[in-house]
Amino acid sequence: MIETPPLVDQYCHGVLRAELGLGTFEAQLIPSAGPPAAGTTFFDTQTGFAVRRWCPPLLGLEPHAAPARYLARRRELGPAESARLLLRGSKVAAYLVDTGVTGDLTGPKDMALAAGAEAFETVRLESLAEQAADTSGTVASFLAHLAEAVHHAAAGAAAFSCGTAAGRADGRLLDPDPPGPGEVRGAAGRWLAGRPRGGALRDPVLLRHLLWSAVASGLPLQLHTGTGDPSALTGFVQATAGPGTRLVLLGGYPHHRHAARLAEAFPHVYADAGAGLGRTGARAAAVLAELLELAPFGKLLFSSGGRGLPELHAVGALVFREALARVLGGWVAEGSWSWRDAERVAAMVAAGNARRVYRLDRP
């Protein structure tokens, strides 16, 4: 069995604090625009089966417990105790928690307390702009507040993130180059004038301004690719190839090979194993093997991508461990790798790469 150190979950969100019924639980289980079709359930997915395989034993039940029995046990324990058992059972040593998603989710401090682990904040760029807009009356004050917010966040966060999928805004591919000051002022004026209070940022010029502000900060920048093709980010990747920049491509499944290829081609780009492993469940080893075909081993980072349900954090970690052991153990068994190399690479992907990229061990 390939041994791995306690994991670093380099991208996740907090967990829900509220008690969850069947409908609410299913709504969080997989990305979907609505509830399950009549007569079906989201438990009948690879994610649902993975939850039933890995999570019941952490709550004192047998593996593959029926959904009704599992949720009854969850209600018996309560949301806080369920989250504590699930997070601690996943053996994660550190979480990087994106705080830019709305909802009654735990922040880094509560995640650390529940999991008995370290937790660091990842700041969502769009949220900084939206908060600055809510407290600004003019374009000048908005841009000043935004610059101050980015500077303040850079002093305390582990990373910035941007949720613009695959470098697109309003359906358009983002220009990779930084916008000029006049272009930024004009875009800010238009956005502030047409934005309802609390409205989300979608303006491509302001997003470019935020991305380049993050690059200038020196912190790693996590870029969401959603389910889109990460190769759409190639222009921005090329433009940011200067010294000191670290880009981490999040998501991308089923286009994960493209993210791995960018990590192979550019020294400052890293690929995320991500939530695709939890989503593919029993097929996770095949997905991980495809990432390892292309991404240099020092450029691949584990994350659960968990959000809302602590089950997703736990499944992400436990499925990753099994998939990594299965893939690397298979290569050892056939004589392609040595045990020493397999355990060294496992430690890199599980934790070492993230600790280096995010400088988590600095004083």
Side-chain angles (χ1 to χ4, degrees), residues 261-275:
R261 176 68 185 93
L262 288 171
E264 179 187 40
F266 294 94
H268 66 302
V269 176
Y270 299 81
D272 171 46

Side-chain angles (χ1 to χ4, degrees), residues 6 14 82 90 105 107 115 126 136 143 151 184 186 194 198-199 244 283 293 315 333 351:
S82 296
S90 63
L105 300 177
E126 295 94 326
S136 303
L143 293 176
H151 177 76
V184 173
R283 289 285 296 163
E293 288 173 7
V315 161

Side-chain angles (χ1 to χ4, degrees), residues 26-60:
E26 285 204 54
Q28 300 286 329
L29 195 56
I30 67 169
S32 177
T40 72
T41 170
F42 287 154
F43 274 101
D44 284 341
T45 59
Q46 287 284 10
T47 303
F49 274 36
V51 166
R52 291 178 52 216
R53 160 62 183 91
W54 293 105
C55 295
L58 300 181
L59 302 189

Side-chain angles (χ1 to χ4, degrees), residues 244-286:
T245 303
R246 288 157 287 160
L247 303 180
V248 183
L249 305 184
L250 301 174
Y253 181 83
H255 301 286
H256 49 289
R257 285 177 179 268
H258 296 291
R261 176 68 185 93
L262 288 171
E264 179 187 40
F266 294 94
H268 66 302
V269 176
Y270 299 81
D272 171 46
L277 300 184
R279 285 180 59 193
T280 51
R283 289 285 296 163

Side-chain angles (χ1 to χ4, degrees), residues 78-107:
E81 179 64 5
S82 296
R84 188 186 72 83
L85 291 171
L86 289 163
L87 294 176
R88 295 193 178 210
S90 63
K91 295 181 172 57
V92 172
Y95 294 89
L96 274 71
V97 183
D98 188 326
T99 56
V101 175
T102 58
D104 187 23
L105 300 177
T106 55

Side-chain angles (χ1 to χ4, degrees), residues 187-266:
R190 292 189 298 272
W191 183 58
L192 292 173
R195 171 184 181 264
R197 187 171 182 81
L201 177 63
R202 296 288 184 269
D203 183 87
V205 174
L206 292 180
L207 284 167
R208 285 163 53 208
H209 175 63
L210 282 169
L211 288 169
W212 282 98
S213 298
V215 168
S217 77
L219 285 187
L221 174 57
Q222 299 175 339
L223 297 171
H224 289 257
T225 63
T227 57
D229 183 352
S231 63
L233 287 163
T234 301
F236 183 71
V237 167
Q238 291 171 330
T240 55
T245 303
R246 288 157 287 160
L247 303 180
V248 183
L249 305 184
L250 301 174
Y253 181 83
H255 301 286
H256 49 289
R257 285 177 179 268
H258 296 291
R261 176 68 185 93
L262 288 171
E264 179 187 40
F266 294 94

